[in-house]
Structure formats: C-alpha cells, structure tokens
C-alpha cells in the first residue's frame, strides 16, 4: 500500500530528526532573491552570493532594479549564470515592488500565476516563493521531490508539471499545514542527499521506512 504524504513526513522526521531551519532568510525579499539564485546551483553557493549582496548593500529591490549591473553580476558570481540571474533579480525586484503588498488579497492560484509571468521564474521557483515567502501550502515537485515520490510508490514523473498534475490533488486532500509543507521540503532535500550518500533511493528508502 502506498504511503500517504503524512506517513512520508512522519518517516522522514524519524529518520532526520535534526533537519534545521528551511528556508533561511532575514526578510521576504531575501527569500525571493534566494529562490532566483538557487536555480541550477547549490545552496552553499547561494549563501555566498547573498552574503556578497548584503555586504554591498544590494540586497533590496531598488538596488537590484536600478543598481550597477556589473557590480551585481560580480556579487552573485558564486551562484553561476550570473548574467541571466542579474536580469532575473531585476525582474523579481520589479514584481516585488508592485505586487508584494497585493499578495495577501490573492488566492494561491492568482499569486502563482502572477509570479509565473515574471521572466526568470519557473514553476519550481514560483512554488518556493509561494511556500516560504508568502506562507502558502504547496508541495515542491523539484528533482528531490520527484525522486521521493518515485521511491515511495507515488509514480515516476519526468517533469515538475507532470508530477504536480498527477499528485497535487491527492496531497492537498491530506491538508498539511504551511509549516508541515515547509518542513517536508527541507526533509526531502536532506533525504535526497542522504540517499545519494547511501548509494541511491532504492537502498535509502527502506532504511527510512524501517526506522
């Protein structure tokens, strides 16, 4: 029998009792910037880029929208793709300036579509922002999440969109809280790292479910 998402969450909590804080950020805007910077890189690299932006007083919408492009590029170089990400940071800064105060009055779907209209914001980035910046309960169907779903018997999905279409209704019926969704994603990311160290999900997942 396929485990429910609540059962998966409980198993991951037992296996990884010290998950820590996820997603780190001193402000809502920092979470948005981090969601852009984390595309195609590690969080360690993102932390270096965010620290550089802070040290240069660039981690705010006005500075990223109107500041020195070359300076921003150099600051975020550790995150990779710094030219594209500099443009994407400017785009999300424009969006934030115009829409952040409107967000509380938007439904989850409306807020998601608004974010997806921003160049540089894909489905994963939009959902990261929804969950961690605006406290909306969403499951993150990134590569970590899809590997977990496959290991737990929910099915194998090649893309973010395919997984979301197939699984979202079932997950939502379990009525996880926002904090549970946030913790779940953090646990899944750490589980993915643990699985890689153990030799793969086929080895690691039975260890999780038997703990």
């Amino acid at each position: 029998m396929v485990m429910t998402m609540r059962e998966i969450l409980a198993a991951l909590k037992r296996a990884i009792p010290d998950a820590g804080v996820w997603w780190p950020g001193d402000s809502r805007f920092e979470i948005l910037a981090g969601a852009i910077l984390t595309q195609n890189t590690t969080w360690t690299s993102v932390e270096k880029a965010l620290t550089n932006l802070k040290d240069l007083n660039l981690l705010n919408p006005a500075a990223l929208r109107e500041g020195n492009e070359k300076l921003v590029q150099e600051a975020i170089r550790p995150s990779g793709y710094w030219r594209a990400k500099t443009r994407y940071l400017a785009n999300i800064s424009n969006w934030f300036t115009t829409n952040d105060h409107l967000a509380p009055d938007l439904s989850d779907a409306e807020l998601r579509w608004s974010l997806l209209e921003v160049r540089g914001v894909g489905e994963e980035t939009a959902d990261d922002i929804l969950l961690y910046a605006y406290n909306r309960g969403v499951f993150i169907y990134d590569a970590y999440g899809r590997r977990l779903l496959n290991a737990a018997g929910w099915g194998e999905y090649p893309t973010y969109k395919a997984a979301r279409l197939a699984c979202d209704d079932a997950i939502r019926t379990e009525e996880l809280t926002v904090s549970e969704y946030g913790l779940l994603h953090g646990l899944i990311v750490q589980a993915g790292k643990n699985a890689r160290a153990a030799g793969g999900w086929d080895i690691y997942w039975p260890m999780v479910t038997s703990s």
Side-chain angles (χ1 to χ4, degrees):
M1 184 174 179
V2 176
M3 296 174 70
T4 68
M5 196 53 63
R6 283 198 174 278
E7 290 171 338
I8 290 171
L9 175 59
L12 290 172
K13 286 168 69 175
R14 289 193 300 271
I16 310 171
D18 54 348
V21 177
W22 196 274
W23 179 303
D26 294 331
S27 68
R28 188 157 56 247
F29 182 74
E30 182 175 338
I31 293 172
L32 268 71
I36 294 292
L37 292 171
T38 200
Q39 296 171 5
N40 301 303
T41 194
T42 65
W43 186 254
T44 300
S45 299
V46 173
E47 287 180 320
K48 293 176 182 176
L50 289 171
T51 297
N52 290 343
L53 289 172
K54 288 179 181 178
D55 289 345
L56 294 168
N57 294 317
L58 293 173
L59 192 55
N60 63 80
L64 292 176
R65 189 177 65 243
E66 304 165 3
N68 185 311
E69 187 175 274
K70 294 294 184 183
L71 191 61
V72 174
Q73 288 180 2
E74 190 59 34
I76 69 171
R77 185 179 290 268
S79 71
Y81 303 95
W82 57 88
R83 293 185 182 88
K85 288 181 180 179
T86 295
R87 294 193 297 272
Y88 297 163
L89 285 172
N91 294 344
I92 201 64
S93 296
N94 282 327
W95 180 91
F96 186 85
T97 301
T98 303
N99 295 283
D100 179 64
H101 70 287
L102 301 175
D105 296 324
L106 299 178
S107 68
D108 293 358
E110 289 170 334
L111 185 54
R112 190 174 195 268
W113 278 113
S114 178
L115 286 163
L116 288 171
E117 289 178 346
V118 180
R119 183 170 178 80
V121 175
E123 289 198 277
E124 180 181 335
T125 301
D127 286 342
D128 286 340
I129 292 171
L130 280 172
L131 176 55
Y132 291 107
Y134 292 104
N135 299 312
R136 307 300 179 94
V138 294
F139 186 90
I140 307 298
Y141 296 94
D142 60 358
Y144 288 111
R146 297 199 303 277
R147 291 181 191 123
L148 176 281
L149 289 170
N150 187 33
W154 281 60
E156 185 174 3
Y157 305 100
T159 65
Y160 196 104
K161 184 175 183 178
R164 185 172 182 269
L165 287 172
C167 302
D168 215 51
D169 286 347
I171 293 175
R172 286 187 176 278
T173 62
E174 299 193 44
E175 298 183 345
L176 275 69
T177 66
V178 171
S179 62
E180 286 174 328
Y181 274 114
L183 175 60
L184 178 61
H185 177 57
L187 288 169
I188 290 172
V189 171
Q190 185 57 54
K193 296 175 182 177
N194 294 350
R196 184 168 59 246
W201 275 100
D202 56 334
I203 297 172
Y204 180 68
W205 188 243
M207 296 165 56
V208 170
T209 55
S210 64
S211 62

